Amino acid sequence: MMNSSLVNCPVPTEQQPLNEYEELKTAWLFRDCTLHWPQYIQKLAWIWALSWLVAGPVAAASFPPNKQLAHFLLCGAAGASIGVVLGLVHLYLGWLYIRDRLYSTNVFYEESGWYDGQTWLKPEEVLNRDRLIVTYEIKPILQRLKFTLAALAGMFVTGTIVWHLF
């Protein structure tokens, strides 16, 4: 964890927004949002391919591949995309939580974990630092996730149109 360099900060180290951010950006799957586009798409493709392990048999039960190959492929692809969508929503919510913690002027924390919540008002320099991190580090990640979800929605619409053509 990064030392937030706050001597008088009453917030426990693991609950300080900067440290939560540092932990999240190194966590498995969350760090994939910071990769270059080709690597990012590759990670999503892996999730999609692994989701076929569930979606493929379900699609095959509804549309036998030897009789209705196009419908099987479209149904399986849509079903496998649900795994990607769920993963993206999880990522989006995690990054959104950290964005809100960093952007907020107040930090809610628990001293002992026994529901003894406290609020700490960030000093101006901490607030400025945290908001710079939000602007230059987290907002691009959230925009990437929104773009990816929009692209998936476009693929679902395209798949629906193709479905009706067969």
Side-chain angles (χ1 to χ4, degrees):
M1 276 191 230
M2 178 182 264
N3 184 357
S4 63
S5 71
L6 300 175
V7 178
N8 298 337
C9 180
V11 181
T13 305
E14 66 277 357
Q15 294 181 46
Q16 292 177 13
L18 181 63
N19 292 335
E20 290 175 325
Y21 162 71
E22 290 293 330
E23 186 177 325
L24 189 69
K25 79 175 188 178
T26 60
W28 179 80
L29 196 57
F30 285 94
R31 69 175 172 251
D32 295 345
C33 295
T34 63
L35 297 172
H36 294 291
W37 274 100
Q39 292 86 12
Y40 170 72
I41 298 299
Q42 184 181 25
K43 298 286 185 172
L44 293 179
W46 272 105
I47 294 170
W48 183 75
L50 289 172
S51 296
W52 262 94
L53 295 173
V54 174
V58 172
S62 301
F63 304 100
N66 57 347
K67 294 180 183 176
Q68 297 175 308
L69 182 62
H71 285 112
F72 163 74
L73 291 173
L74 287 170
C75 184
S81 296
I82 291 172
V84 177
V85 169
L86 291 174
L88 288 170
V89 167
H90 176 70
L91 293 171
Y92 185 79
L93 292 175
W95 283 109
L96 193 63
Y97 171 76
I98 294 299
R99 183 207 64 186
D100 291 345
R101 294 271 293 168
L102 285 167
Y103 201 79
S104 177
T105 56
N106 297 316
V107 176
F108 178 79
Y109 66 98
E110 292 182 3
E111 293 183 79
S112 66
W114 286 92
Y115 306 105
D116 59 348
Q118 303 289 327
T119 303
W120 174 63
L121 182 64
K122 292 180 186 175
E124 191 68 30
E125 66 273 2
V126 172
L127 184 60
N128 289 337
R129 177 202 63 199
D130 289 355
R131 288 187 173 176
L132 280 171
I133 291 170
V134 168
T135 301
Y136 292 104
E137 298 289 331
I138 296 177
K139 279 188 179 178
I141 292 170
L142 291 172
Q143 289 173 341
R144 173 183 276 192
L145 292 169
K146 285 179 190 176
F147 178 80
T148 307
L149 285 166
L152 279 172
M155 286 188 234
F156 276 119
V157 169
T158 303
T160 301
I161 293 168
V162 171
W163 178 277
H164 290 291
L165 293 176
F166 285 105

